[in-house]
Amino acid sequence: MSLGQSYKHDSAVSHVTGESVFIDDRPFHTNEVLVFVKGAPASCGKILNIKIDKALKVPGVVGIWTGDDFAHNQWGTIVSEQPVLARKQIGYFDEPICIVAAESKISGQMALELIEVEIESMDPILSLQEAIDKKNFLYESTPFLVGEPELVYQKSEHQLEGTFECGGQEHFYLESQAAIVYPQEDGHLEVHSSSQHPTETQHVIAKSLGLQSHQVTCIVKRMGGAFGGKESQAAPFAAMAALVAQKLKRPARLVLSKDDDMKMTGKRHPFLNFYKVGFNQEGVIQSLMIKLYANAGAYVDLSPSILDRALFHADGAYFIANAKFEGWACRTNQHSNTAFRGFGGPQGNMTVESIIEDIAKYLKIDALLVRQRNCYSLKPRNITPYGQEIDDQVLVQLFKTLEQKSDYYRRRQEVSVFNQDKKQRKLRGLSVTAVKFGIAFTARHLNQASALVHLYLDGSVQVSTGATEMGQGVNTKIKQTVATCLGLSMHSISVMATSTEKNANTSPTAASSGADLNCSAVWKACDQIRRRLAYLFYCHQNKIEFQSRELTMPPSDFIHEDYVFHDGVVLCLISHQKIALIELIQIAYLNRISLSELAHYRTEGIGFDKKTGKGRPFHYFTNGVAASEVEVDEDTGQVKVRRVDILMDLGASINPKIDLGQVTGGFIQGVGWVTSENLYYAQNGSLISHSPTTYKIPNIQDTPRIFNVELFPNALNQRNIYSSKAVGEPPLLLATSVWTAIKDALSYRSKEKIPFLRSPALPSEILIERHRYEQS
Ligand code: LUZ
Ligand code: MOS
């Protein structure tokens, strides 16, 4: 059985040899043009005039277009309100306002410089606080309300009030936003895009160019990373290339430079949250009220769903009997913030983990104990503030197991002893946090997928789904699914490039659900072929004629489970007769029986009532815990991660090695977000940190000196294919433990005062916090 085995990544070899084709690796057509994007020269203002005559005279420039040249200059996943190219109003600094097609890079870039944009400047809103003060909201979540939070808070033994603040994050995928569009006969367009969402790219192109969907095919072979940054925001750039291809009837290639990509595209949402928490002497939370504010940037994009997911994760792994969570998405004059691995979940989860850390410091008891006392457990302490019951409870066990595996209490002792030695000007901290990530798109309709499977006469298979490969290994898992269901070897299966021609109306590969949804659809398609062939074998043995309609009402002595497909052979467990699969396929073909299937899958049993804020939005939860130990240098503010132990519940993993890669990578990406990645803006609102020289993602020295990652054995998740659980986003949330460990370290400066720390915990933040402490 292939499911459950650690096959290497589908593209492992071709990535290393350089054979893998990314968008800009596609060979140039002789008549191809390059497309360049001009960004807005201010954060806010009216566009009065775009003067292009000088730029048009640059040799090699073929054309220049603005928003006026689109049939419909508007797009948006949730609300169609964002211009493809801004025409009247500037929403943010470097927002795309016009495009140049040129024969060469030099001509294109020269033309960009010669385009003159006349604007009437207006005062931008450049901070979250200012947007909150001005109530500049683009969305308000339905609050989650349970119990009597205000009343219980007043009556609680202890109360704390505070703020939690976290920054944005650049996706830093290695392949920038990129698309090539080939014009075809009859006005059709063939689009190759680095997109997590080929269907949306198809729709945005069709709508903006005045075409119908059938005239646009969007193909995605793979992405060089995405992390959410290509869920919605790949589409407008593909539309710009498509406009050029349509206007010139020449292939058009748009590949953003790293700098332009960082300046023009949205990032993770910064949040500023205000809370009040009431708790007892044991540290058990009795009431928690949080107001969450997200910086959405200039346009709606996916912000409403992201804010909702932040609310869905503000309980963390903890039962809260009396809760009120409210949220607002604020419009500011910054790049339009978008999906990023975790999708608001990290920002919500980190808030409650920060609160728990403070409760522990306030009561002077160990934070792990406080977490365990608050952890979701058995009825009635297993209901979330939005009314979903947690039915496969493993969190208590995860905490307990990690406590032992990480040797928590002995190391706590060591940390305390270390910190008593004031001469070394170093402080250590230790902290455990948890993740309980809700799996499913919170927008119910997105929880569907389709799979197209063709079984060829030589016994090999081509499979196509709506899933896009961004390095996460979904294609490998799809192959394993086909191999297991049809009893084939991995190398007789090809996962085809994702195309809207093969799979229509697909959902983005997002919400950690790519493998869940698409492997389920693949299983369904293969299973239909498998049952058909099993029945054919039954007919063959019993010398009766195969009639396809009898599949719906099979004879009572035909049970498809009696037929085992393994290693290219079909075995009947009753008669012990065998037939080579390829021979059976031959019989099927000669008898004019289909060897192809298109299956559709949807997640059953989910639904959330937006009016009441109650329901079952999630199919299940992926859980995990992490124990992190850090060392903070008191003089430089630098942080070293000494040791991390992770325990992750991924159900029965489809591919343990690939999943370990996801856990490791996701965690480190999160560590970058909470420690070193910071977005710096100039006074005028332009992004200063738009390259790796000014934006610090983690490198090898930032990984933990000791790093133990383990999967927690749990095969109880009957809801999902192979009893597996989704892996993509959840581990990122465990990086919170590094941040709370820093907070823990700082708390040793003074046992009396709870340290206040923003995220990311930059060296400067750590030094400022020391200053604050020394002043008090
Ligand atoms: N995208 C989306 C997502 O449209 N809805 C979601 O709930 C979601 N969750 C995580 C990541 N992307
Ligand atoms: Mo997403 S944050 O593209 O799953």
Side-chain angles (χ1 to χ4, degrees), residues 455 457 459-461 486-488 530 533 565-570 579-587:
L455 180 53
L457 295 187
S460 69
V461 167
L486 293 175
L488 296 171
R530 193 181 61 85
L533 289 173
F565 286 59
H566 185 69
D567 262 351
V569 172
V570 184
I579 187 167
L581 180 64
I582 162 167
E583 201 181 315
L584 193 55
I585 290 170
Q586 196 65 29
I587 298 169

mmCIF file with all atom_site columns, all heavy atoms in Angstrom, residues 455 457 459-461 486-488 530 533 565-570 579-587:
data_model
loop_
_atom_site.group_PDB
_atom_site.id
_atom_site.type_symbol
_atom_site.label_atom_id
_atom_site.label_alt_id
_atom_site.label_comp_id
_atom_site.label_asym_id
_atom_site.label_entity_id
_atom_site.label_seq_id
_atom_site.pdbx_PDB_ins_code
_atom_site.Cartn_x
_atom_site.Cartn_y
_atom_site.Cartn_z
_atom_site.occupancy
_atom_site.B_iso_or_equiv
_atom_site.pdbx_formal_charge
_atom_site.auth_seq_id
_atom_site.auth_comp_id
_atom_site.auth_asym_id
_atom_site.auth_atom_id
_atom_site.pdbx_PDB_model_num
ATOM 1   N N   . LEU A 1 455 ? -7.238  5.786   -17.201 1.00 0.00 ? 455 LEU A N   1
ATOM 2   C CA  . LEU A 1 455 ? -6.436  4.561   -17.142 1.00 0.00 ? 455 LEU A CA  1
ATOM 3   C C   . LEU A 1 455 ? -6.174  4.137   -18.587 1.00 0.00 ? 455 LEU A C   1
ATOM 4   O O   . LEU A 1 455 ? -7.109  3.923   -19.359 1.00 0.00 ? 455 LEU A O   1
ATOM 5   C CB  . LEU A 1 455 ? -7.222  3.486   -16.368 1.00 0.00 ? 455 LEU A CB  1
ATOM 6   C CG  . LEU A 1 455 ? -6.606  2.112   -16.156 1.00 0.00 ? 455 LEU A CG  1
ATOM 7   C CD1 . LEU A 1 455 ? -5.228  2.192   -15.542 1.00 0.00 ? 455 LEU A CD1 1
ATOM 8   C CD2 . LEU A 1 455 ? -7.533  1.271   -15.265 1.00 0.00 ? 455 LEU A CD2 1
ATOM 9   N N   . LEU A 1 457 ? -4.317  1.813   -21.783 1.00 0.00 ? 457 LEU A N   1
ATOM 10  C CA  . LEU A 1 457 ? -4.338  0.377   -22.081 1.00 0.00 ? 457 LEU A CA  1
ATOM 11  C C   . LEU A 1 457 ? -3.091  -0.357  -21.582 1.00 0.00 ? 457 LEU A C   1
ATOM 12  O O   . LEU A 1 457 ? -3.112  -1.565  -21.380 1.00 0.00 ? 457 LEU A O   1
ATOM 13  C CB  . LEU A 1 457 ? -4.507  0.148   -23.585 1.00 0.00 ? 457 LEU A CB  1
ATOM 14  C CG  . LEU A 1 457 ? -5.852  0.628   -24.147 1.00 0.00 ? 457 LEU A CG  1
ATOM 15  C CD1 . LEU A 1 457 ? -6.003  0.207   -25.603 1.00 0.00 ? 457 LEU A CD1 1
ATOM 16  C CD2 . LEU A 1 457 ? -7.026  0.116   -23.320 1.00 0.00 ? 457 LEU A CD2 1
ATOM 17  N N   . GLY A 1 459 ? -1.919  0.100   -18.697 1.00 0.00 ? 459 GLY A N   1
ATOM 18  C CA  . GLY A 1 459 ? -2.004  0.053   -17.240 1.00 0.00 ? 459 GLY A CA  1
ATOM 19  C C   . GLY A 1 459 ? -1.381  1.253   -16.547 1.00 0.00 ? 459 GLY A C   1
ATOM 20  O O   . GLY A 1 459 ? -1.130  1.221   -15.351 1.00 0.00 ? 459 GLY A O   1
ATOM 21  N N   . SER A 1 460 ? -1.141  2.326   -17.284 1.00 0.00 ? 460 SER A N   1
ATOM 22  C CA  . SER A 1 460 ? -0.624  3.538   -16.641 1.00 0.00 ? 460 SER A CA  1
ATOM 23  C C   . SER A 1 460 ? -1.748  4.565   -16.535 1.00 0.00 ? 460 SER A C   1
ATOM 24  O O   . SER A 1 460 ? -2.780  4.457   -17.203 1.00 0.00 ? 460 SER A O   1
ATOM 25  C CB  . SER A 1 460 ? 0.570   4.083   -17.425 1.00 0.00 ? 460 SER A CB  1
ATOM 26  O OG  . SER A 1 460 ? 0.149   4.590   -18.672 1.00 0.00 ? 460 SER A OG  1
ATOM 27  N N   . VAL A 1 461 ? -1.520  5.559   -15.678 1.00 0.00 ? 461 VAL A N   1
ATOM 28  C CA  . VAL A 1 461 ? -2.598  6.488   -15.333 1.00 0.00 ? 461 VAL A CA  1
ATOM 29  C C   . VAL A 1 461 ? -2.133  7.938   -15.445 1.00 0.00 ? 461 VAL A C   1
ATOM 30  O O   . VAL A 1 461 ? -1.022  8.282   -15.036 1.00 0.00 ? 461 VAL A O   1
ATOM 31  C CB  . VAL A 1 461 ? -3.087  6.231   -13.875 1.00 0.00 ? 461 VAL A CB  1
ATOM 32  C CG1 . VAL A 1 461 ? -3.971  7.366   -13.380 1.00 0.00 ? 461 VAL A CG1 1
ATOM 33  C CG2 . VAL A 1 461 ? -3.830  4.912   -13.786 1.00 0.00 ? 461 VAL A CG2 1
ATOM 34  N N   . LEU A 1 486 ? -5.711  1.595   -7.075  1.00 0.00 ? 486 LEU A N   1
ATOM 35  C CA  . LEU A 1 486 ? -5.712  0.733   -8.252  1.00 0.00 ? 486 LEU A CA  1
ATOM 36  C C   . LEU A 1 486 ? -4.610  -0.321  -8.218  1.00 0.00 ? 486 LEU A C   1
ATOM 37  O O   . LEU A 1 486 ? -4.460  -1.102  -9.167  1.00 0.00 ? 486 LEU A O   1
ATOM 38  C CB  . LEU A 1 486 ? -5.584  1.582   -9.526  1.00 0.00 ? 486 LEU A CB  1
ATOM 39  C CG  . LEU A 1 486 ? -6.791  2.481   -9.831  1.00 0.00 ? 486 LEU A CG  1
ATOM 40  C CD1 . LEU A 1 486 ? -6.515  3.363   -11.041 1.00 0.00 ? 486 LEU A CD1 1
ATOM 41  C CD2 . LEU A 1 486 ? -8.062  1.660   -10.061 1.00 0.00 ? 486 LEU A CD2 1
ATOM 42  N N   . GLY A 1 487 ? -3.841  -0.346  -7.140  1.00 0.00 ? 487 GLY A N   1
ATOM 43  C CA  . GLY A 1 487 ? -2.792  -1.354  -7.009  1.00 0.00 ? 487 GLY A CA  1
ATOM 44  C C   . GLY A 1 487 ? -1.698  -1.201  -8.050  1.00 0.00 ? 487 GLY A C   1
ATOM 45  O O   . GLY A 1 487 ? -1.207  -2.181  -8.613  1.00 0.00 ? 487 GLY A O   1
ATOM 46  N N   . LEU A 1 488 ? -1.324  0.049   -8.313  1.00 0.00 ? 488 LEU A N   1
ATOM 47  C CA  . LEU A 1 488 ? -0.295  0.316   -9.325  1.00 0.00 ? 488 LEU A CA  1
ATOM 48  C C   . LEU A 1 488 ? 0.990   0.760   -8.651  1.00 0.00 ? 488 LEU A C   1
ATOM 49  O O   . LEU A 1 488 ? 0.999   1.140   -7.478  1.00 0.00 ? 488 LEU A O   1
ATOM 50  C CB  . LEU A 1 488 ? -0.775  1.431   -10.263 1.00 0.00 ? 488 LEU A CB  1
ATOM 51  C CG  . LEU A 1 488 ? -2.001  1.120   -11.102 1.00 0.00 ? 488 LEU A CG  1
ATOM 52  C CD1 . LEU A 1 488 ? -2.486  2.381   -11.796 1.00 0.00 ? 488 LEU A CD1 1
ATOM 53  C CD2 . LEU A 1 488 ? -1.670  0.038   -12.120 1.00 0.00 ? 488 LEU A CD2 1
ATOM 54  N N   . ARG A 1 530 ? -12.162 1.113   -10.216 1.00 0.00 ? 530 ARG A N   1
ATOM 55  C CA  . ARG A 1 530 ? -11.813 -0.153  -9.569  1.00 0.00 ? 530 ARG A CA  1
ATOM 56  C C   . ARG A 1 530 ? -13.052 -1.061  -9.451  1.00 0.00 ? 530 ARG A C   1
ATOM 57  O O   . ARG A 1 530 ? -13.021 -2.250  -9.770  1.00 0.00 ? 530 ARG A O   1
ATOM 58  C CB  . ARG A 1 530 ? -11.233 0.124   -8.183  1.00 0.00 ? 530 ARG A CB  1
ATOM 59  C CG  . ARG A 1 530 ? -10.537 -1.056  -7.526  1.00 0.00 ? 530 ARG A CG  1
ATOM 60  C CD  . ARG A 1 530 ? -10.031 -0.683  -6.146  1.00 0.00 ? 530 ARG A CD  1
ATOM 61  N NE  . ARG A 1 530 ? -11.134 -0.290  -5.277  1.00 0.00 ? 530 ARG A NE  1
ATOM 62  C CZ  . ARG A 1 530 ? -11.882 -1.149  -4.587  1.00 0.00 ? 530 ARG A CZ  1
ATOM 63  N NH1 . ARG A 1 530 ? -11.643 -2.441  -4.641  1.00 0.00 ? 530 ARG A NH1 1
ATOM 64  N NH2 . ARG A 1 530 ? -12.874 -0.710  -3.846  1.00 0.00 ? 530 ARG A NH2 1
ATOM 65  N N   . LEU A 1 533 ? -14.051 -2.425  -12.804 1.00 0.00 ? 533 LEU A N   1
ATOM 66  C CA  . LEU A 1 533 ? -13.171 -3.509  -13.259 1.00 0.00 ? 533 LEU A CA  1
ATOM 67  C C   . LEU A 1 533 ? -13.391 -4.779  -12.438 1.00 0.00 ? 533 LEU A C   1
ATOM 68  O O   . LEU A 1 533 ? -13.325 -5.895  -12.970 1.00 0.00 ? 533 LEU A O   1
ATOM 69  C CB  . LEU A 1 533 ? -11.707 -3.070  -13.201 1.00 0.00 ? 533 LEU A CB  1
ATOM 70  C CG  . LEU A 1 533 ? -11.300 -2.039  -14.261 1.00 0.00 ? 533 LEU A CG  1
ATOM 71  C CD1 . LEU A 1 533 ? -9.881  -1.552  -14.018 1.00 0.00 ? 533 LEU A CD1 1
ATOM 72  C CD2 . LEU A 1 533 ? -11.442 -2.607  -15.678 1.00 0.00 ? 533 LEU A CD2 1
ATOM 73  N N   . PHE A 1 565 ? -6.886  -5.190  -5.563  1.00 0.00 ? 565 PHE A N   1
ATOM 74  C CA  . PHE A 1 565 ? -6.003  -4.678  -6.615  1.00 0.00 ? 565 PHE A CA  1
ATOM 75  C C   . PHE A 1 565 ? -4.632  -4.445  -6.005  1.00 0.00 ? 565 PHE A C   1
ATOM 76  O O   . PHE A 1 565 ? -4.459  -3.587  -5.136  1.00 0.00 ? 565 PHE A O   1
ATOM 77  C CB  . PHE A 1 565 ? -6.550  -3.353  -7.178  1.00 0.00 ? 565 PHE A CB  1
ATOM 78  C CG  . PHE A 1 565 ? -7.748  -3.518  -8.064  1.00 0.00 ? 565 PHE A CG  1
ATOM 79  C CD1 . PHE A 1 565 ? -8.919  -4.115  -7.597  1.00 0.00 ? 565 PHE A CD1 1
ATOM 80  C CD2 . PHE A 1 565 ? -7.722  -3.057  -9.380  1.00 0.00 ? 565 PHE A CD2 1
ATOM 81  C CE1 . PHE A 1 565 ? -10.031 -4.250  -8.424  1.00 0.00 ? 565 PHE A CE1 1
ATOM 82  C CE2 . PHE A 1 565 ? -8.822  -3.192  -10.215 1.00 0.00 ? 565 PHE A CE2 1
ATOM 83  C CZ  . PHE A 1 565 ? -9.981  -3.799  -9.729  1.00 0.00 ? 565 PHE A CZ  1
ATOM 84  N N   . HIS A 1 566 ? -3.666  -5.214  -6.456  1.00 0.00 ? 566 HIS A N   1
ATOM 85  C CA  . HIS A 1 566 ? -2.353  -5.094  -5.827  1.00 0.00 ? 566 HIS A CA  1
ATOM 86  C C   . HIS A 1 566 ? -1.268  -5.462  -6.828  1.00 0.00 ? 566 HIS A C   1
ATOM 87  O O   . HIS A 1 566 ? -1.374  -6.479  -7.508  1.00 0.00 ? 566 HIS A O   1
ATOM 88  C CB  . HIS A 1 566 ? -2.296  -6.009  -4.597  1.00 0.00 ? 566 HIS A CB  1
ATOM 89  C CG  . HIS A 1 566 ? -1.024  -5.863  -3.822  1.00 0.00 ? 566 HIS A CG  1
ATOM 90  N ND1 . HIS A 1 566 ? -0.710  -4.719  -3.110  1.00 0.00 ? 566 HIS A ND1 1
ATOM 91  C CD2 . HIS A 1 566 ? 0.027   -6.702  -3.658  1.00 0.00 ? 566 HIS A CD2 1
ATOM 92  C CE1 . HIS A 1 566 ? 0.473   -4.860  -2.545  1.00 0.00 ? 566 HIS A CE1 1
ATOM 93  N NE2 . HIS A 1 566 ? 0.951   -6.051  -2.861  1.00 0.00 ? 566 HIS A NE2 1
ATOM 94  N N   . ASP A 1 567 ? -0.242  -4.630  -6.905  1.00 0.00 ? 567 ASP A N   1
ATOM 95  C CA  . ASP A 1 567 ? 0.926   -4.936  -7.740  1.00 0.00 ? 567 ASP A CA  1
ATOM 96  C C   . ASP A 1 567 ? 0.564   -5.306  -9.172  1.00 0.00 ? 567 ASP A C   1
ATOM 97  O O   . ASP A 1 567 ? 1.143   -6.238  -9.748  1.00 0.00 ? 567 ASP A O   1
ATOM 98  C CB  . ASP A 1 567 ? 1.700   -6.114  -7.120  1.00 0.00 ? 567 ASP A CB  1
ATOM 99  C CG  . ASP A 1 567 ? 2.880   -5.617  -6.302  1.00 0.00 ? 567 ASP A CG  1
ATOM 100 O OD1 . ASP A 1 567 ? 3.167   -4.396  -6.377  1.00 0.00 ? 567 ASP A OD1 1
ATOM 101 O OD2 . ASP A 1 567 ? 3.494   -6.438  -5.608  1.00 0.00 ? 567 ASP A OD2 1
ATOM 102 N N   . GLY A 1 568 ? -0.401  -4.637  -9.736  1.00 0.00 ? 568 GLY A N   1
ATOM 103 C CA  . GLY A 1 568 ? -0.765  -4.891  -11.119 1.00 0.00 ? 568 GLY A CA  1
ATOM 104 C C   . GLY A 1 568 ? -1.578  -6.153  -11.336 1.00 0.00 ? 568 GLY A C   1
ATOM 105 O O   . GLY A 1 568 ? -1.752  -6.600  -12.477 1.00 0.00 ? 568 GLY A O   1
ATOM 106 N N   . VAL A 1 569 ? -2.078  -6.725  -10.240 1.00 0.00 ? 569 VAL A N   1
ATOM 107 C CA  . VAL A 1 569 ? -2.870  -7.953  -10.349 1.00 0.00 ? 569 VAL A CA  1
ATOM 108 C C   . VAL A 1 569 ? -4.187  -7.753  -9.613  1.00 0.00 ? 569 VAL A C   1
ATOM 109 O O   . VAL A 1 569 ? -4.242  -7.075  -8.593  1.00 0.00 ? 569 VAL A O   1
ATOM 110 C CB  . VAL A 1 569 ? -2.091  -9.143  -9.728  1.00 0.00 ? 569 VAL A CB  1
ATOM 111 C CG1 . VAL A 1 569 ? -2.977  -10.390 -9.654  1.00 0.00 ? 569 VAL A CG1 1
ATOM 112 C CG2 . VAL A 1 569 ? -0.825  -9.420  -10.515 1.00 0.00 ? 569 VAL A CG2 1
ATOM 113 N N   . VAL A 1 570 ? -5.262  -8.325  -10.153 1.00 0.00 ? 570 VAL A N   1
ATOM 114 C CA  . VAL A 1 570 ? -6.543  -8.300  -9.453  1.00 0.00 ? 570 VAL A CA  1
ATOM 115 C C   . VAL A 1 570 ? -6.828  -9.715  -8.960  1.00 0.00 ? 570 VAL A C   1
ATOM 116 O O   . VAL A 1 570 ? -6.797  -10.678 -9.731  1.00 0.00 ? 570 VAL A O   1
ATOM 117 C CB  . VAL A 1 570 ? -7.685  -7.824  -10.379 1.00 0.00 ? 570 VAL A CB  1
ATOM 118 C CG1 . VAL A 1 570 ? -8.986  -7.715  -9.594  1.00 0.00 ? 570 VAL A CG1 1
ATOM 119 C CG2 . VAL A 1 570 ? -7.318  -6.488  -11.017 1.00 0.00 ? 570 VAL A CG2 1
ATOM 120 N N   . ILE A 1 579 ? -6.154  -12.158 -12.180 1.00 0.00 ? 579 ILE A N   1
ATOM 121 C CA  . ILE A 1 579 ? -5.981  -11.701 -13.559 1.00 0.00 ? 579 ILE A CA  1
ATOM 122 C C   . ILE A 1 579 ? -5.051  -10.491 -13.534 1.00 0.00 ? 579 ILE A C   1
ATOM 123 O O   . ILE A 1 579 ? -5.089  -9.688  -12.592 1.00 0.00 ? 579 ILE A O   1
ATOM 124 C CB  . ILE A 1 579 ? -7.353  -11.357 -14.200 1.00 0.00 ? 579 ILE A CB  1
ATOM 125 C CG1 . ILE A 1 579 ? -7.169  -11.054 -15.699 1.00 0.00 ? 579 ILE A CG1 1
ATOM 126 C CG2 . ILE A 1 579 ? -8.028  -10.194 -13.511 1.00 0.00 ? 579 ILE A CG2 1
ATOM 127 C CD1 . ILE A 1 579 ? -8.482  -11.009 -16.473 1.00 0.00 ? 579 ILE A CD1 1
ATOM 128 N N   . ALA A 1 580 ? -4.188  -10.408 -14.516 1.00 0.00 ? 580 ALA A N   1
ATOM 129 C CA  . ALA A 1 580 ? -3.326  -9.220  -14.584 1.00 0.00 ? 580 ALA A CA  1
ATOM 130 C C   . ALA A 1 580 ? -4.208  -8.015  -14.887 1.00 0.00 ? 580 ALA A C   1
ATOM 131 O O   . ALA A 1 580 ? -5.132  -8.102  -15.714 1.00 0.00 ? 580 ALA A O   1
ATOM 132 C CB  . ALA A 1 580 ? -2.278  -9.391  -15.676 1.00 0.00 ? 580 ALA A CB  1
ATOM 133 N N   . LEU A 1 581 ? -3.949  -6.914  -14.196 1.00 0.00 ? 581 LEU A N   1
ATOM 134 C CA  . LEU A 1 581 ? -4.774  -5.716  -14.383 1.00 0.00 ? 581 LEU A CA  1
ATOM 135 C C   . LEU A 1 581 ? -4.800  -5.315  -15.856 1.00 0.00 ? 581 LEU A C   1
ATOM 136 O O   . LEU A 1 581 ? -5.846  -4.975  -16.408 1.00 0.00 ? 581 LEU A O   1
ATOM 137 C CB  . LEU A 1 581 ? -4.228  -4.562  -13.526 1.00 0.00 ? 581 LEU A CB  1
ATOM 138 C CG  . LEU A 1 581 ? -5.012  -3.249  -13.639 1.00 0.00 ? 581 LEU A CG  1
ATOM 139 C CD1 . LEU A 1 581 ? -6.428  -3.396  -13.115 1.00 0.00 ? 581 LEU A CD1 1
ATOM 140 C CD2 . LEU A 1 581 ? -4.290  -2.129  -12.915 1.00 0.00 ? 581 LEU A CD2 1
ATOM 141 N N   . ILE A 1 582 ? -3.666  -5.416  -16.513 1.00 0.00 ? 582 ILE A N   1
ATOM 142 C CA  . ILE A 1 582 ? -3.563  -4.966  -17.899 1.00 0.00 ? 582 ILE A CA  1
ATOM 143 C C   . ILE A 1 582 ? -4.407  -5.846  -18.819 1.00 0.00 ? 582 ILE A C   1
ATOM 144 O O   . ILE A 1 582 ? -4.980  -5.378  -19.802 1.00 0.00 ? 582 ILE A O   1
ATOM 145 C CB  . ILE A 1 582 ? -2.072  -4.828  -18.292 1.00 0.00 ? 582 ILE A CB  1
ATOM 146 C CG1 . ILE A 1 582 ? -1.824  -4.791  -19.777 1.00 0.00 ? 582 ILE A CG1 1
ATOM 147 C CG2 . ILE A 1 582 ? -1.202  -5.818  -17.695 1.00 0.00 ? 582 ILE A CG2 1
ATOM 148 C CD1 . ILE A 1 582 ? -0.370  -4.332  -20.008 1.00 0.00 ? 582 ILE A CD1 1
ATOM 149 N N   . GLU A 1 583 ? -4.545  -7.102  -18.423 1.00 0.00 ? 583 GLU A N   1
ATOM 150 C CA  . GLU A 1 583 ? -5.402  -8.006  -19.201 1.00 0.00 ? 583 GLU A CA  1
ATOM 151 C C   . GLU A 1 583 ? -6.883  -7.625  -19.013 1.00 0.00 ? 583 GLU A C   1
ATOM 152 O O   . GLU A 1 583 ? -7.672  -7.579  -19.960 1.00 0.00 ? 583 GLU A O   1
ATOM 153 C CB  . GLU A 1 583 ? -5.168  -9.439  -18.703 1.00 0.00 ? 583 GLU A CB  1
ATOM 154 C CG  . GLU A 1 583 ? -5.561  -10.531 -19.688 1.00 0.00 ? 583 GLU A CG  1
ATOM 155 C CD  . GLU A 1 583 ? -5.307  -11.908 -19.096 1.00 0.00 ? 583 GLU A CD  1
ATOM 156 O OE1 . GLU A 1 583 ? -4.221  -12.112 -18.494 1.00 0.00 ? 583 GLU A OE1 1
ATOM 157 O OE2 . GLU A 1 583 ? -6.201  -12.765 -19.217 1.00 0.00 ? 583 GLU A OE2 1
ATOM 158 N N   . LEU A 1 584 ? -7.215  -7.307  -17.787 1.00 0.00 ? 584 LEU A N   1
ATOM 159 C CA  . LEU A 1 584 ? -8.583  -6.892  -17.478 1.00 0.00 ? 584 LEU A CA  1
ATOM 160 C C   . LEU A 1 584 ? -8.927  -5.586  -18.207 1.00 0.00 ? 584 LEU A C   1
ATOM 161 O O   . LEU A 1 584 ? -10.027 -5.401  -18.724 1.00 0.00 ? 584 LEU A O   1
ATOM 162 C CB  . LEU A 1 584 ? -8.718  -6.724  -15.953 1.00 0.00 ? 584 LEU A CB  1
ATOM 163 C CG  . LEU A 1 584 ? -10.113 -6.586  -15.361 1.00 0.00 ? 584 LEU A CG  1
ATOM 164 C CD1 . LEU A 1 584 ? -11.022 -7.753  -15.757 1.00 0.00 ? 584 LEU A CD1 1
ATOM 165 C CD2 . LEU A 1 584 ? -10.038 -6.495  -13.833 1.00 0.00 ? 584 LEU A CD2 1
ATOM 166 N N   . ILE A 1 585 ? -7.927  -4.693  -18.234 1.00 0.00 ? 585 ILE A N   1
ATOM 167 C CA  . ILE A 1 585 ? -8.113  -3.421  -18.944 1.00 0.00 ? 585 ILE A CA  1
ATOM 168 C C   . ILE A 1 585 ? -8.398  -3.686  -20.427 1.00 0.00 ? 585 ILE A C   1
ATOM 169 O O   . ILE A 1 585 ? -9.277  -3.070  -21.034 1.00 0.00 ? 585 ILE A O   1
ATOM 170 C CB  . ILE A 1 585 ? -6.845  -2.539  -18.795 1.00 0.00 ? 585 ILE A CB  1
ATOM 171 C CG1 . ILE A 1 585 ? -6.732  -2.041  -17.354 1.00 0.00 ? 585 ILE A CG1 1
ATOM 172 C CG2 . ILE A 1 585 ? -6.862  -1.377  -19.773 1.00 0.00 ? 585 ILE A CG2 1
ATOM 173 C CD1 . ILE A 1 585 ? -5.410  -1.365  -17.037 1.00 0.00 ? 585 ILE A CD1 1
ATOM 174 N N   . GLN A 1 586 ? -7.658  -4.640  -20.990 1.00 0.00 ? 586 GLN A N   1
ATOM 175 C CA  . GLN A 1 586 ? -7.832  -5.003  -22.393 1.00 0.00 ? 586 GLN A CA  1
ATOM 176 C C   . GLN A 1 586 ? -9.262  -5.498  -22.648 1.00 0.00 ? 586 GLN A C   1
ATOM 177 O O   . GLN A 1 586 ? -9.907  -5.092  -23.615 1.00 0.00 ? 586 GLN A O   1
ATOM 178 C CB  . GLN A 1 586 ? -6.811  -6.098  -22.752 1.00 0.00 ? 586 GLN A CB  1
ATOM 179 C CG  . GLN A 1 586 ? -6.597  -6.311  -24.223 1.00 0.00 ? 586 GLN A CG  1
ATOM 180 C CD  . GLN A 1 586 ? -5.972  -5.093  -24.903 1.00 0.00 ? 586 GLN A CD  1
ATOM 181 O OE1 . GLN A 1 586 ? -5.243  -4.341  -24.286 1.00 0.00 ? 586 GLN A OE1 1
ATOM 182 N NE2 . GLN A 1 586 ? -6.297  -4.896  -26.174 1.00 0.00 ? 586 GLN A NE2 1
ATOM 183 N N   . ILE A 1 587 ? -9.743  -6.339  -21.757 1.00 0.00 ? 587 ILE A N   1
ATOM 184 C CA  . ILE A 1 587 ? -11.114 -6.863  -21.891 1.00 0.00 ? 587 ILE A CA  1
ATOM 185 C C   . ILE A 1 587 ? -12.116 -5.714  -21.828 1.00 0.00 ? 587 ILE A C   1
ATOM 186 O O   . ILE A 1 587 ? -13.070 -5.637  -22.597 1.00 0.00 ? 587 ILE A O   1
ATOM 187 C CB  . ILE A 1 587 ? -11.406 -7.910  -20.794 1.00 0.00 ? 587 ILE A CB  1
ATOM 188 C CG1 . ILE A 1 587 ? -10.464 -9.113  -20.926 1.00 0.00 ? 587 ILE A CG1 1
ATOM 189 C CG2 . ILE A 1 587 ? -12.871 -8.363  -20.840 1.00 0.00 ? 587 ILE A CG2 1
ATOM 190 C CD1 . ILE A 1 587 ? -10.491 -10.060 -19.739 1.00 0.00 ? 587 ILE A CD1 1
#
